[in-house]
Amino acid sequence: MLRFVEYPTPLELPLFGSPVEAGFPSPADDHIEGKLDLNEHLVRRPAATFFVRAAGESMRGAGIFDGDLLVIDRGITPQPDDIVIAVVHGELTVKRLQRVNGAWQLAAENPNFPTLPIRDDGCEIWGVVTHSIRRHCGR
Amino acid sequence: MPTFALVDCNTFYASCERLFQPDLRDRPVVVLSNNDGCVIARSNEAKSLGIAMGAPLFKIRKLVDEHGVIVRSSNYALYGDISERVMSVLGSQAPAHEIYSIDECFLDLDRMAVADLTDWCRNLRRRTHKWTGIPVSIGVGPTKTLAKVANRLAKKSAKAGGVLDLSHHPQWTEAALRKTAVGDVWGIGRRWSAMLEERGIHTAHDLACSQDGWVRKRMGIVGLKTVHELRGIACHALDDQPAPRQTTCCSRTFGEAIRDKGQVHDAVMSFAERVAEKVRHAGQVAGAVQLFIRTDPFDQNAARKSVSGSATFQRPTSDTRVITDAVLRIFDRIWRDGYGWRKAGVLLLDLGDPASVPASLFDVIEQPDGLMAALDEINSRFGRGKARLGLARKGGEWRMRQENLSPSFTTRWGDIPAAKMG
């Protein structure tokens, strides 16, 4: 039966004891050690974790493409070089947080898009992007 | 001495609406009751415009247009999810907690060994806001009632910075009680507050100074406990082990009165499905089911009627097929033509743990066939009511009016917020 997985339902996949190799399977593979839960891997703080959908082209250099699913952890304190969700003009926006010569800025990862300086009145960092998930098979 | 904190989310529904729509931050926001009837929550900006709690939408239409007030239908999928997050952060930080409502939580801080409780509360407040995006206020006191008093003032006073601790600053208690209207004391309803005002008891301080005998006579033991709590004598403990729910209900007020049997039937069937899903989600089984249908009790011009019926299951169940079948039989039995029905609901009663159901000699042992689990999974993935038993037609006029519903940002894949890369 198909199993639809929705957070926080654990997605259980068997974890095998030996690395995958070509040829004959190891007899040790019969011994299942436990189950892998994808949530455990992607979500460290469930109460602080949110999912958003990335929209646009300005973060291609960081490997984030239009339609990717982003995992956001609001529990992490943002640091320079983190990819963050920042509030820009009242909208949630994906940027690279940078500190250049003591000044904070929000950089795009695409030469066609500008880098935004963070002015003295500050800027709200909504959360830190911890993972991006892209679908490679449309079926 | 016991130490209680009450953590209360600031304008909770409005804060949830703003979390994923930062452009609403500085604008007045109101949230409407089921069916978009009247205002049940307001942002501070909406309060300052003079929009009253409970005001019907048509009465505030002018203010809404003039000031660009954001109007939202209530989105309980969103509020419920954010509430769980807030409660989980609070629960992880305190030795014991009691979820009091969707946006309030009592903490037992009795055994907390911290140098400065106000500092600790400020940190908790910061952490909750950072993790969940929801601003909270915290009041601390030696009783739950005083924690409530402190919370109210913590929220109102800019100086307090969202935290007021009366436990470690008992010298502030009298002033706090003097600043609290008697009607704002926890547990003092409208009836008591009118009676107290009439007798010159205007503030919480006046009430705390009232004589026990008199209070006991006028307000019973419940009122006396409240007065003792105001004096700092704890009468209410933290109920951190709430009893499992004994009943669960799905009911709706229809957008307009419905006279057609087919339409009410469809609504009732969908409630039965929904409520069955709820008990399965809670891992429980129900012993009985009740169905009610009623006309508008406030409509003076139409015939008023309320009918209900119930059925007991041979064996406690959470199976949609068994539950809808029972509801259908009740429906056919209680239905009356000639009325404009305005509300219906299905209640599951006598809820319990499936493991404690005794087997009987004549039971046909039900094999879990996975159908209910599959149904729940499909609906949780694709949206409520997408996969259903062949019982009900889709749509229909009974559906709740929700014209300004925000997306279910955190509970449905299709609704997760977009983050711009431009």
Side-chain angles (χ1 to χ4, degrees), chain B residues 189-268:
Chain B
R190 199 176 297 170
R191 204 164 50 91
W192 276 353
S193 111
M195 181 274 289
L196 292 165
E197 294 272 1
E198 225 167 75
R199 278 159 185 78
I201 297 169
H202 301 295
T203 68
H205 178 71
D206 297 340
L207 183 59
C209 296
S210 304
Q211 286 193 327
D212 280 11
W214 182 85
V215 172
R216 172 90 204 240
K217 205 170 112 216
R218 303 295 313 212
M219 300 160 67
I221 191 75
V222 178
L224 189 60
K225 278 186 178 174
T226 297
V227 171
H228 282 191
E229 286 236 321
L230 286 175
R231 292 179 194 153
I233 304 156
C235 302
H236 301 297
L238 198 72
D239 316 309
D240 58 352
Q241 299 287 301
R245 293 165 63 172
Q246 292 298 300
T247 65
T248 186
C249 174
C250 177
S251 68
R252 296 271 189 285
T253 301
F254 306 138
E256 54 197 54
I258 304 179
R259 311 182 81 82
D260 177 56
K261 184 175 180 182
Q263 279 183 30
V264 179
H265 164 271
D266 288 358
V268 160

Side-chain angles (χ1 to χ4, degrees), chain A residues 3-4 6 45-50 52-53 55-58 69 74-77 90-95 124 126, chain B residues 19-20 22-23 25 82 85 88-89 129-131 133 377-378 380-381 410-411 413 416-422:
Chain A
R3 188 162 166 76
F4 298 114
E6 188 167 57
R45 301 174 185 84
T49 300
F50 295 88
V52 307
R53 185 78 61 193
E57 303 297 333
S58 73
L69 177 71
R74 289 181 53 105
I76 296 176
T77 300
E91 284 183 313
L92 303 181
T93 309
V94 191
K95 294 282 179 192
E124 183 188 339
W126 197 89
Chain B
L19 179 54
F20 301 99
D23 54 320
R25 297 274 170 86
I82 303 295
R85 291 163 182 266
S88 116
V89 173
H129 192 188
K130 179 163 185 272
W131 282 39
E377 275 176 3
I378 291 168
S380 89
R381 163 127 187 207
T410 56
T411 52
W413 284 116
I416 65 172
K420 227 173 103 184
M421 299 194 295

Side-chain angles (χ1 to χ4, degrees), chain B residues 308-324:
Chain B
S308 70
S310 58
T312 307
F313 301 118
Q314 280 186 327
R315 185 184 162 77
T317 185
S318 63
D319 190 313
T320 299
R321 291 163 292 185
V322 179
I323 291 166
T324 50

